[in-house]
Amino acid sequence: MSGKVPPNHTRPGIIERGEVRKYFEYLGQYAHQRQLTTMLWDAGQFLNRNELQWRDPELFAQIKSSWTTRSGTASSDMVFLPKSGAITSQTLTLNPNGTDFQGLRHGNRDLVKGEDYTVSGDRLTLTAAALSRLAGDRAYGVNATLEARFSRGVPWRVDVITYDPPVLSNATGSTGSYAIPTQFRGDMLATMEARYDDGSNAGPADWTPYQQWDTAFSAYTGDSIKLTPDFFNAVKDGSRVTLTFDFWSGASVTYHVTKTGTSVTGTPG
């Protein structure tokens, strides 16, 4: 797989996909241990009701497995590599949850312990040589998907992703419709912080700089970040707001917006 965005059918960005899997893995096994019955309340987010198909079969497999056993997980399901420059080894922390780590697989090929990866306690390290091979031509996005396999439960998915820091461009618009042209360059938006020049918080959630996905912003397309009318309704007229966009790679990009009446202008930080 090359240059693709990691699938996340449980509303991308709001919660990192691996953390969703960890939640359901723990919840299911805890309910099983306590002999509790669970129910998934769904309004179409998980199940395509027209086709009666799960939108994310991998997540459903995790949920179903948790009814009877634990599954191993890791500190992340993403490994980010730079578009250019040297590729270095990357380390994840394993969470075996009572299982035994069995190895890594890419497609139908098992990776070689000691050559492609090493394990020291709960530390799983992917070697630079293996990552260079898996990244191939380093097209933006997912270059390879690995499976960390454990003695029971379902495998843990790890996406190897090539990225550069995202680039945001100048934009004008209105409080009713405002989009920031964005080159994501393999990365994915995680959160948005909003502050006035005096350091105070801006936006609907004025008790924190971190604003809520969908309420203040969203990024469902591959070419822009959108700010909502609710966000601008809560912003002071004529006061510059500095937005800090935090991405899953760890990159942060700043952007400035100013509302004047119903008009909005924005420039990169």
Side-chain angles (χ1 to χ4, degrees):
M1 235 173 22
S2 177
K4 298 181 180 178
V5 175
N8 186 342
H9 300 295
T10 54
R11 304 183 71 187
I14 298 176
I15 304 173
E16 200 276 319
R17 188 172 185 269
E19 298 306 305
V20 174
R21 287 192 58 187
K22 290 179 190 177
Y23 170 80
F24 281 109
E25 192 281 330
Y26 177 81
L27 177 67
Q29 67 84 28
Y30 185 84
H32 174 70
Q33 177 186 352
R34 299 293 181 175
Q35 297 184 333
L36 300 173
T37 299
T38 58
M39 179 184 72
L40 181 65
W41 185 274
D42 179 44
Q45 177 181 340
F46 293 91
L47 182 68
N48 183 326
R49 298 190 180 192
N50 293 326
E51 301 178 7
L52 294 182
Q53 297 289 328
W54 293 98
R55 298 186 186 279
D56 189 339
E58 186 179 61
L59 177 60
F60 178 66
Q62 179 73 82
I63 294 172
K64 185 175 181 180
S65 176
S66 72
W67 298 338
T68 57
T69 190
R70 295 297 309 259
S71 295
T73 66
S75 53
S76 179
D77 61 346
M78 296 183 289
V79 171
F80 285 91
L81 306 177
K83 175 67 173 177
S84 59
I87 290 177
T88 59
S89 62
Q90 300 287 323
T91 298
L92 300 173
T93 301
L94 297 174
N95 307 309
N97 295 325
T99 70
D100 295 318
F101 177 69
Q102 301 288 294
L104 286 175
R105 177 171 292 183
H106 176 225
N108 58 6
R109 176 181 177 272
D110 290 329
L111 272 63
V112 180
K113 185 177 181 180
E115 180 180 330
D116 296 326
Y117 69 93
T118 61
V119 179
S120 177
D122 62 355
R123 307 282 284 176
L124 169 66
T125 300
L126 294 162
T127 66
L131 289 172
S132 296
R133 184 181 71 249
L134 293 166
D137 61 1
R138 288 198 254 183
Y140 286 137
V142 177
N143 301 138
T145 296
L146 307 179
E147 286 187 344
R149 293 177 170 252
F150 297 84
S151 55
R152 62 181 187 274
V154 297
W156 178 255
R157 175 193 184 106
V158 179
D159 287 327
V160 178
I161 303 168
T162 291
Y163 85 106
D164 268 328
V167 175
L168 281 59
S169 302
N170 294 338
T172 58
S174 70
T175 55
S177 179
Y178 188 78
I180 302 170
T182 305
Q183 299 175 51
F184 288 93
R185 305 207 294 179
D187 215 334
M188 294 155 285
L189 183 61
T191 62
M192 183 185 83
E193 305 169 53
R195 297 178 178 87
Y196 293 111
D197 286 346
D198 64 4
S200 61
N201 302 323
D206 59 3
W207 53 275
T208 175
Y210 290 93
Q211 299 301 304
Q212 185 175 347
W213 191 287
D214 281 340
T215 298
F217 71 101
S218 66
Y220 290 117
T221 64
D223 59 1
S224 68
I225 298 171
K226 292 180 172 58
L227 304 183
T228 67
D230 285 344
F231 174 75
F232 287 112
N233 286 340
V235 168
K236 300 174 184 177
D237 195 71
S239 296
R240 189 179 77 157
V241 177
T242 296
L243 307 176
T244 302
F245 293 104
D246 303 310
F247 295 82
W248 289 120
S249 69
S252 292
V253 179
T254 57
Y255 195 84
H256 304 296
V257 292
T258 303
K259 179 183 77 171
T260 306
T262 59
S263 298
V264 181
T265 59
T267 57

